[in-house]
Amino acid sequence: MTDAAERKMRFLYAIRSKGVTDARVLTAMERIDRGEFVRGLFAERAYDDTPLPIACGQTISQPSVVGLMTQSLDLTPRDKVLEIGTGSGYQAAILSLLARRVYTIDRHRRLVREAEELFARLGLTNITAIVGDGSRGLPEQAPFDRIIVTAAAEDPPGPLLAQLRIGGIMVLPVGQSDAVQSLIKVTRTEAGYDYEELRAVRFVPLVEGLAED
Ligand code: SAH
């Protein structure tokens, strides 16, 4: 086996052992090379199951958490998905293999620009990356079948709840930014919203407004 193949096998094994068992999610994570999304000093740790620093003081999430969040979304190939927090673009790339269309928003222009370049290079043509304040959602494309937020708010932002289709699912971390947060799954029903707590997580905070860079 080549080094690259062995590295990938170990990567997938680590993710599976943390509870990512959905075959479609594992296949998507096999196809999207995390090494493309981590640059510079930390590139050699791209296949470790750990969050890593990216530009603009942000982080690329831990692969097993990316897998668990993706799995909890229970995607179908027809879904239109909204992601808040493009960051490196890694989560959006995985979503793009499992859904029809992905809209991803970040408040840092630089992150959006770099992610767009990567999506183009990798031939991921069903992702639209947008600079904006994701806490407002994307009303012009609503409603969404699925919404994923990869930065922590104290509570689920109202505009995002409103932009979720009935029957739709939203997965997001909630809680204080400097404490342990809970990953929750919100399902919109005819009658309202059902909430399920999935596990403890730690994400960078959801910050209102656009960033300087
Ligand atoms: N999903 C990313 C990791 C995201 S880190 C990945 O796969 O790499 C969280 C991201 O949320 C950061 O890039 C940060 O800039 C962004 N963010 C924080 N608050 C935001 C807001 N209000 N609107 C849009 N993006 C936001």
Side-chain angles (χ1 to χ4, degrees), residues 14-205:
I15 291 165
R16 210 181 294 126
S17 70
K18 300 266 176 65
V20 182
T21 52
D22 184 316
R24 292 167 310 166
V25 175
L26 287 167
T27 301
M29 294 187 77
E30 188 175 353
R31 282 183 52 197
I32 300 294
D33 182 358
R34 191 170 185 248
E36 298 274 5
F37 296 82
V38 184
R39 295 194 184 86
L41 271 182
F42 295 96
E44 64 188 33
R45 296 183 58 194
Y47 306 98
D48 293 352
D49 187 25
T50 178
L52 292 171
I54 56 172
C56 304
Q58 304 303 315
T59 55
I60 178 172
S61 309
Q62 185 176 350
S64 56
V65 172
V66 170
L68 289 168
M69 290 176 82
T70 308
Q71 180 168 287
S72 302
L73 281 177
D74 202 10
L75 291 159
T76 80
R78 295 182 304 280
D79 286 342
K80 180 166 77 172
V81 184
L82 175 64
E83 180 195 28
I84 310 305
T86 310
S88 67
Y90 179 63
Q91 171 77 73
I94 290 165
L95 295 171
S96 79
L97 298 186
L98 300 167
R100 177 171 57 84
R101 188 108 201 90
V102 177
Y103 293 89
T104 181
I105 307 182
D106 207 287
R107 59 191 290 279
H108 286 279
R109 282 179 194 81
R110 175 178 168 187
L111 294 175
V112 169
R113 193 181 61 235
E114 291 181 356
E116 274 180 324
E117 285 168 11
L118 258 176
F119 300 149
R121 188 149 64 73
L122 300 176
L124 305 173
T125 54
N126 62 339
I127 310 175
T128 305
I130 298 157
V131 179
D133 179 355
S135 58
R136 300 173 180 191
L138 191 61
E140 58 271 35
Q141 293 296 341
F144 295 94
D145 301 295
R146 302 289 186 263
I147 300 178
I148 176 170
V149 188
T150 61
E154 282 189 31
D155 296 298
L160 298 184
L161 289 170
Q163 289 170 33
L164 189 61
R165 188 189 297 284
I166 291 171
I169 298 171
M170 170 156 71
V171 174
L172 76 166
V174 291
Q176 305 278 351
S177 61
D178 50 357
V180 173
Q181 306 138 3
S182 298
L183 188 63
I184 62 168
K185 173 176 171 174
V186 183
T187 306
R188 184 167 192 180
T189 65
E190 293 279 355
Y193 298 89
D194 287 343
Y195 295 84
E196 184 189 343
E197 218 173 297
L198 301 176
R199 53 165 279 173
V201 283
R202 193 152 196 174
F203 276 84
V204 297

